Amino acid sequence: MKTQKMQDQIFGVIVLAVAAFYTVFTFLIPLKEGSDIINARTVPLLLAALMWVLGICQLVTARKADTKPLDKEARDLRTVLKTAVLIVVYIALFEPVGFLITTMVYLFLQFIFLTPADKKPNYLFYGIISLVVSLFVYTIFRYSLDIILPQGLITFF
Amino acid sequence: MKKRQLFASVMAGALLLGTLAGCGNNSSADGGGEEWPTKAVNVVVTASAGGDTDFNARTFATYFEQVTGQPMVITNTAGGGGSVATSEVKDSKADGSKILFCHTGQMIVNEVAGLIDYSMDDFDIACIPAVDKGTVLVASKASGITSVEDLVEKAKAAPGEITYASELGGYSHLQGLILMEKAGIDLKILDIGSASDKITNMLGGRVDLAAISYGAVKDYAETGDLIILAQYNEERNENLDPDIPTFVECGIDFVMEKPYIIAFPKGTDQAIIDKINEVAAQIAEDPDYQAALIEGYNQPAEYIAHDEALELLAQTREDYMAYQDLLQ
Amino acid sequence: MLELFAQGFANVFSPFCLVLMVLGTVIGIIFGAVPGLSSVMAIALFLPLTYGMDPGQGLSVLVALYIGSVSGGLVSAILLKIPGTPASIATCFDGHPMLARGEGAKALGAGVFYSFLGTIISVVALMFIAPQIAKVAINFGPHEYFAISIFSLMLIATLSSGSMVKGIFSGVLGLAFATVGIAPLDAVKRFTFGTVALSDGFDVLTVMIGLFAVSEVIKIAEVAKREKASDVAQVNMKVKGFGFTVKEFIQQIPNAIRAALVGLGIGILPGIGAGTSNLVAYTVNKNADKKHSDEYGKGYIGGIISSETANNASVGGAMIPLMTLGIPGDGVTALLLGAFMVHGIAPGPLLFQNYGPLVYTIFVACLVATVLMLVIEWYGMHIFAKVLKVPRHILLPIVFVLCVVGAFGLSSRVFDVWAVLIFGVIGYFFTIFKVPQAPFVIGFVLGSMAETNFRRGMMMSDDNFLDFFTKPIAAAFLIFTLVYFLYVVVKEIKKAQARKTASGQAV
């Protein structure tokens, strides 16, 4: 992603890839017998066609795009990746382990991951906040919104 | 930095341990059937909040708590024509903690229409806690139809011209199909959507007929913008306008009352099912409950116990199956 | 009428009712402001409580919740760049740049004041011309709904300040996601990959919090490590009044009027409401306000005014078909209808005639709730701003947890939480490639409406597409859509040519 042109081209390719994916699955939509001209595939086909057109437009205009290097935006991909994995694990364990435990652990770890480099993580403070937020949210949902969040291992309240 | 990483891995390990423990613990059930309910019961309703199904479920829930001391927590899962809710309850633990509250539209019509690939036999049906008797057939002013006899006459003169508003594949579609067969007429069935859409389109003169709950069209009947033709009940429901005839009185052998159903996942303890029947019978006797139903949806309280309910539903299913090809 | 008004005042101004209304407004604002919690949840929570109350008082409380929650979304839109509800999406566009420039107080003040104004205008319309404008709603059938959804989509897709292709792609992708699930009319399962969960498609709340909130959490991870601990945004809350001047107020009158009309017009149509009207009003004003057109999206007060006036004007707008026709337009008004029905009152054309005192109690409640909202939010501004004192690495994970529970609470299934994550990832990619998120949300919201009504219309017209052009309202919207599209394309091309010549001269 060094130049605007490259970025625009990559985007064009992504659009075409999405279009291809969507087109294939549109043709896999089952049709009912006697479906007339307008059926469950009509609108998806129209959208797929639009995506192809947009992808091509994007690639065509990208040819004339700026080739000057973009400002270097350093993305801290390590932290992004750690956060993404943490979120996936959190959601995966949300139901089996239960809201309280997973949320506490998620918050605690997420606070640590996102702590600015020039600041030391304050574990005690993070722990307390994680605990308080989880308990507070659970109680509010359970007792005032009547929504039972996954209880998992803690089934006693 | 190192210390932080150590801490993180310890916590991650704790999470993992939690999962393992969680896997071994899944079978913890909710005590024996006799004591049921020992904690809040989750009721999955096949309709969004605010409608008649939701109203019946919530009213029942209020009195359930009065009788048993345990609350019923309502979850509204309207999606997929109710199929999301039915699937959810079907696949949940059979420990009495999750109940389905629906009506024949979701329990039977969805199967007939091919929307779901399972049937009422995949549940333990508990009872019919209430029966909707408020639905009426309505004609728009623009259609010029004034009575069922008039409708039959006009439809026979111009087959397939008179339009009927429904949700294709749903309960109202079936209502239309059965009406067509029993009256020997041919209507043009359109997909219009919810009750609100039906009313708007009838007022706008874009569609001629629809089956709607009485409460929603009462005012329009008075102003003359809509004409109520008949009620779907076996006998006149005295809580509606007493002058609305039944179809039978109009010479069409057509009755279609809509029972609500309480069902459990298959394999639920018989003691739990007996218990909820006991509770439902008690609720149906409660004068406050009866008054609430009449005030909300002009609906007299009616409770049909387990065996009789099963019989009725099986019969209904057989009747509806005759329309399978037309509905799909 | 005055007598009825007096009676309404007497009902609302009972201490019991007033206390509940204050509580309702506060809770509404909180539910509106917290991403993941919605107006529908707030009202569903209170609905059972109102069963035991007198109908007028019960509805007053619900109305307070409704008004509070539609307005509350502006707080998180401005302070966090995360709209609390779909009604405040357009508020982010200018609200956050203003905050970054140190004008957070002014942005909040304008949002609060114009929320108030929008509601008042719509309530006045509800009181005096409801039956007349309700007739408009009756004239909208499938053909007209199809036309207006296409019209709104086009307006919003071309809104993007950057590349038009990206804006339209975002909208088309939203439409594509709306096709997941059971198809309208023939109930064919599409893109469900054999799962039950997908047969219901995605919920709009998961789309919105995913695209805006979760993507924001992932984005913060990009820079979190580099951020200095001292980089916490400071908002100067020492402002006079609402932060804007009388001169600005006079200048903005045309914007406010246009936004109010758009909000009201969209609000009265069942099926579309504040979530669409804020964006349509924003686009309309951006085009109409020629002098400041370029300032929209860069922290222009007119942007906030457009969005907040329109979304709250839709509140009164949505009440009109509910109270005069008995037709609810969205989840919230469906719940309000339920609140009427429980008391044996079926709203319809005779409601005003048969239940005059009740109707006027609701009118007064709307006015009172609007004033309460103004007062509470004005005093609350200082408390809201304190939220920003919480370091972002603490605040955003908590926001994320709220999104997770909000999604889970929709129908108690983890599937919706996964959906939030999926839309979060999409939203993150959007920010990398500078694709606007708003068209996606609107494409998603209007997608199923456009398709369903297209197919219903075709069925009604025996598959004759020309019917969409023989019905005057539908034809007008469709032709205007076409003309507008051509206008935008020509403008784009001219802009590209101008850029070309400019760069040519430079070389």
Side-chain angles (χ1 to χ4, degrees):
Chain A
M1 250 165 264
K2 300 249 168 48
T3 68
Q4 185 63 49
K5 183 175 175 175
M6 268 167 78
Q7 203 195 26
D8 281 358
Q9 281 175 332
I10 294 172
F11 183 70
V13 172
I14 292 178
V15 172
L16 290 179
V18 173
F21 178 84
Y22 194 71
T23 312
V24 169
F25 282 95
T26 296
F27 280 106
L28 291 179
I29 295 173
L31 287 184
K32 293 204 164 163
E33 275 175 63
S35 301
D36 26 23
I37 332 153
I38 310 290
N39 56 39
R41 281 187 199 168
T42 315
V43 170
L45 276 178
L46 206 72
L47 294 176
L50 264 172
M51 286 184 200
W52 285 105
V53 172
L54 288 170
I56 292 164
C57 277
Q58 176 69 19
L59 284 180
V60 170
T61 48
R63 280 172 47 208
K64 293 179 205 145
D66 217 332
T67 46
K68 267 180 276 172
L70 281 177
D71 296 338
K72 208 159 172 76
E73 331 163 33
R75 290 205 160 84
D76 183 357
L77 286 178
R78 236 178 87 92
T79 311
V80 172
L81 209 68
K82 272 202 294 194
T83 300
V85 170
L86 181 64
I87 290 178
V88 169
V89 173
Y90 171 44
I91 301 177
L93 298 185
F94 192 63
E95 198 150 49
V97 179
F99 171 81
L100 279 174
I101 298 178
T102 46
T103 304
M104 256 185 278
V105 178
Y106 163 76
L107 281 177
F108 188 77
L109 292 176
Q110 186 74 81
F111 292 155
I112 296 174
F113 290 168
L114 296 182
T115 305
D118 64 340
K119 208 177 165 198
K120 268 202 177 148
N122 182 343
Y123 296 117
L124 180 67
F125 177 62
Y126 289 175
I128 292 172
I129 297 215
S130 311
L131 185 75
V132 170
V133 170
S134 314
L135 280 176
F136 181 70
V137 171
Y138 185 85
T139 322
I140 290 278
F141 269 70
R142 173 66 187 85
Y143 294 100
S144 23
L145 292 180
D146 265 1
I147 292 171
I148 305 174
L149 291 168
Q151 294 180 311
L153 306 179
I154 301 177
T155 49
F156 49 82
F157 90 128
Chain B
M1 188 70 199
K2 259 195 183 148
K3 194 177 155 198
R4 204 189 297 178
Q5 273 178 352
L6 182 77
F7 216 103
S9 32
V10 169
M11 291 307 285
L15 254 183
L16 199 72
L17 216 71
T19 343
L20 295 176
C23 293
N25 214 357
N26 265 347
S27 52
S28 68
D30 189 71
E34 291 76 23
E35 294 97 63
W36 184 89
T38 53
K39 61 175 185 184
V41 181
N42 187 5
V43 183
V44 183
V45 179
T46 48
S48 49
D52 49 358
T53 311
D54 178 65
F55 170 77
N56 266 286
R58 282 182 197 271
T59 313
F60 185 83
T62 312
Y63 290 87
F64 181 88
E65 186 170 354
Q66 279 184 14
V67 174
T68 65
Q70 291 294 343
M72 271 188 161
V73 181
I74 306 272
T75 308
N76 295 99
T77 308
S83 64
V84 177
T86 48
S87 300
E88 189 196 331
V89 175
K90 182 176 77 74
D91 298 334
S92 65
K93 269 186 276 172
D95 59 1
S97 63
K98 207 178 247 181
I99 305 185
L100 179 70
F101 193 103
C102 64
H103 61 71
T104 44
Q106 294 100 25
M107 193 51 105
I108 298 175
V109 180
N110 275 359
E111 185 208 349
V112 177
L115 196 62
I116 48 175
D117 52 11
Y118 48 84
S119 73
M120 53 183 265
D121 298 335
D122 294 301
F123 292 89
D124 276 337
I125 308 257
C127 64
I128 291 175
V131 182
D132 171 40
K133 294 185 183 214
T135 311
V136 287
L137 180 69
V138 182
S140 73
K141 192 178 176 184
S143 72
I145 297 166
T146 53
S147 66
V148 173
E149 290 82 1
D150 189 30
L151 164 68
V152 173
E153 197 176 304
K154 284 188 170 133
K156 283 197 170 142
E161 289 288 313
I162 295 174
T163 50
Y164 171 87
S166 75
E167 278 175 283
L168 287 189
Y171 191 80
S172 57
H173 187 184
L174 185 65
Q175 278 173 318
L177 290 174
I178 301 182
L179 172 66
M180 274 161 59
E181 200 212 274
K182 301 273 185 190
I185 53 175
D186 191 16
L187 303 172
K188 180 176 173 186
I189 294 188
L190 294 176
D191 186 273
I192 293 296
S194 66
S196 303
D197 296 322
K198 287 173 189 160
I199 295 175
T200 337
N201 281 294
M202 284 208 287
L203 292 177
R206 285 177 294 273
V207 58
D208 303 323
L209 297 172
I212 304 180
S213 99
Y214 172 74
V217 294
K218 190 171 65 182
D219 274 12
Y220 292 106
E222 210 169 303
T223 57
D225 289 312
L226 298 175
I227 297 101
I228 299 179
L229 303 180
Q231 50 180 306
Y232 288 78
N233 303 320
E234 194 161 0
E235 277 160 29
R236 285 192 190 192
N237 175 355
E238 58 197 27
N239 303 301
L240 310 181
D241 177 352
D243 293 334
I244 305 170
T246 63
F247 277 103
V248 180
E249 291 171 40
C250 302
I252 299 173
D253 181 23
F254 179 26
V255 175
M256 200 166 171
E257 294 176 356
K258 192 171 73 183
Y260 293 103
I261 302 166
I262 288 184
F264 289 89
K266 197 85 191 166
T268 299
D269 192 343
Q270 186 61 38
I272 295 180
I273 292 171
D274 292 344
K275 181 69 189 283
I276 199 162
N277 266 286
E278 207 178 289
V279 175
Q282 207 177 327
I283 290 174
E285 295 289 310
D286 191 321
D288 291 342
Y289 172 76
Q290 294 170 350
L293 288 189
I294 289 175
E295 177 144 318
Y297 280 86
N298 314 298
Q299 177 189 324
E302 186 171 344
Y303 153 74
I304 302 174
H306 179 256
D307 298 340
E308 208 183 320
L310 273 184
E311 211 171 293
L312 175 76
L313 293 175
Q315 183 59 44
T316 310
R317 179 164 170 238
E318 206 182 302
D319 293 346
Y320 290 179
M321 274 298 171
Y323 300 90
Q324 191 168 26
D325 292 340
L326 289 167
L327 205 56
Q328 283 193 350
Chain C
M1 188 167 154
L2 271 177
E3 205 177 299
L4 285 167
F5 248 118
Q7 215 172 331
F9 266 102
N11 277 343
V12 172
F13 279 91
S14 75
F16 176 66
C17 192
L18 265 186
V19 168
L20 277 174
M21 280 184 74
V22 172
L23 194 70
T25 313
V26 171
I27 291 182
I29 294 170
I30 294 173
F31 271 67
V34 176
L37 300 184
S38 64
S39 335
V40 176
M41 271 187 210
I43 292 178
L45 159 70
F46 266 71
L47 189 60
L49 299 180
T50 64
Y51 287 175
M53 292 183 205
D54 150 84
Q57 298 188 330
L59 278 156
S60 301
V61 177
L62 297 179
V63 161
L65 276 164
Y66 187 18
I67 291 176
S69 64
V70 173
S71 172
L74 72 93
V75 177
S76 41
I78 293 170
L79 296 181
L80 302 174
K81 209 177 151 192
I82 298 171
T85 65
S88 308
I89 292 176
T91 311
C92 296
F93 300 163
D94 290 279
H96 204 72
M98 280 178 82
L99 178 79
R101 220 165 45 207
E103 294 179 344
K106 185 176 170 184
L108 283 172
V112 170
F113 180 77
Y114 283 92
S115 284
F116 168 77
L117 208 64
T119 321
I120 289 291
I121 292 173
S122 71
V123 172
V124 169
L126 170 67
M127 281 162 49
F128 295 106
I129 49 169
Q132 287 81 358
I133 49 179
K135 294 213 173 74
V136 177
I138 294 176
N139 287 319
F140 273 68
H143 299 87
E144 289 77 15
Y145 270 107
F146 169 72
I148 195 168
S149 44
I150 293 296
F151 170 73
S152 308
L153 271 172
M154 177 58 72
L155 224 51
I156 292 158
T158 52
L159 165 69
S160 53
S161 43
S163 144
M164 205 173 83
V165 172
K166 286 178 181 170
I168 296 178
F169 174 70
S170 174
V172 170
L173 200 60
L175 285 166
F177 270 94
T179 61
V180 175
I182 294 172
L185 275 72
D186 50 18
V188 170
K189 289 188 178 122
R190 299 188 294 193
F191 311 105
T192 59
F193 305 102
T195 60
V196 178
L198 276 173
S199 68
D200 189 23
F202 298 99
D203 189 281
V204 62
L205 190 83
T206 64
V207 174
M208 201 200 61
I209 55 189
L211 281 177
F212 288 96
V214 177
S215 69
E216 201 64 23
V217 175
I218 306 179
K219 228 163 68 186
I220 195 78
E222 276 184 358
V223 292
K225 289 281 169 211
R226 268 186 287 122
E227 195 172 278
K228 295 261 167 56
S230 54
D231 276 359
V232 180
Q234 293 298 335
V235 191
N236 179 13
M237 291 308 296
K238 281 181 199 132
V239 283
K240 275 189 193 150
F242 290 96
F244 54 87
T245 60
V246 177
K247 198 178 145 211
E248 276 174 308
F249 175 75
I250 294 168
Q251 216 175 36
Q252 293 297 338
I253 287 177
N255 276 339
I257 290 176
R258 277 189 297 259
L261 289 177
V262 169
L264 198 59
I266 289 182
I268 58 169
L269 295 177
I272 38 180
T276 308
S277 71
N278 72 97
L279 283 158
V280 172
Y282 187 90
T283 321
V284 166
N285 276 345
K286 190 182 168 183
N287 283 314
D289 193 0
K290 290 249 172 357
K291 256 195 233 159
H292 305 279
S293 204
D294 293 335
E295 291 169 47
Y296 280 82
K298 291 172 191 148
Y300 179 54
I301 192 170
I304 293 182
I305 290 169
S306 310
S307 172
E308 285 304 320
T309 311
N311 65 18
N312 278 76
S314 293
V315 171
M319 298 282 289
I320 289 174
L322 175 71
M323 291 182 61
T324 55
L325 301 172
I327 289 168
D330 56 13
V332 174
T333 39
L335 284 170
L336 292 181
L337 181 69
F340 278 105
M341 300 291 269
V342 172
H343 293 289
I345 301 163
L350 301 180
L351 185 73
F352 284 51
Q353 198 177 309
N354 295 346
Y355 297 97
L358 173 67
V359 168
Y360 279 85
T361 304
I362 296 173
F363 288 165
V364 174
C366 286
L367 294 173
V368 171
T370 316
V371 174
L372 283 175
M373 173 203 85
L374 181 76
V375 174
I376 293 170
E377 285 188 346
W378 192 71
Y379 280 106
M381 267 158 58
H382 305 267
I383 305 169
F384 303 146
K386 290 220 172 71
V387 169
L388 287 185
K389 292 226 167 85
V390 179
R392 287 172 76 78
H393 71 279
I394 304 278
L395 186 61
L396 281 168
I398 295 177
V399 169
F400 177 72
V401 166
L402 289 171
C403 292
V404 166
V405 291
F408 181 82
L410 286 173
S411 46
S412 297
R413 50 185 194 156
V414 180
F415 167 77
D416 288 316
V417 183
W418 285 115
V420 165
L421 181 63
I422 292 170
F423 291 115
V425 171
I426 293 175
Y428 178 63
F429 274 101
F430 274 20
T431 56
I432 292 180
F433 289 102
K434 299 192 180 65
V435 180
Q437 293 132 319
F440 186 105
V441 180
I442 289 307
F444 183 83
V445 170
L446 297 181
S448 49
M449 188 170 126
E451 181 180 15
T452 309
N453 283 296
F454 172 66
R455 294 194 59 189
R456 281 181 188 157
M458 291 296 272
M459 193 174 188
M460 224 180 229
S461 310
D462 295 314
D463 284 347
N464 180 6
F465 182 71
L466 285 180
D467 252 25
F468 284 97
F469 291 92
T470 53
K471 297 186 183 284
I473 301 176
F477 275 113
L478 287 177
I479 290 169
F480 192 80
T481 308
L482 214 64
V483 171
Y484 179 73
F485 179 67
L486 292 176
Y487 160 77
V488 173
V489 169
V490 169
K491 211 170 76 177
E492 267 310 278
I493 293 173
K494 269 191 188 157
K495 224 162 58 182
Q497 276 171 345
R499 227 181 290 133
K500 215 166 152 191
T501 42
S503 62
Q505 281 164 352
V507 173

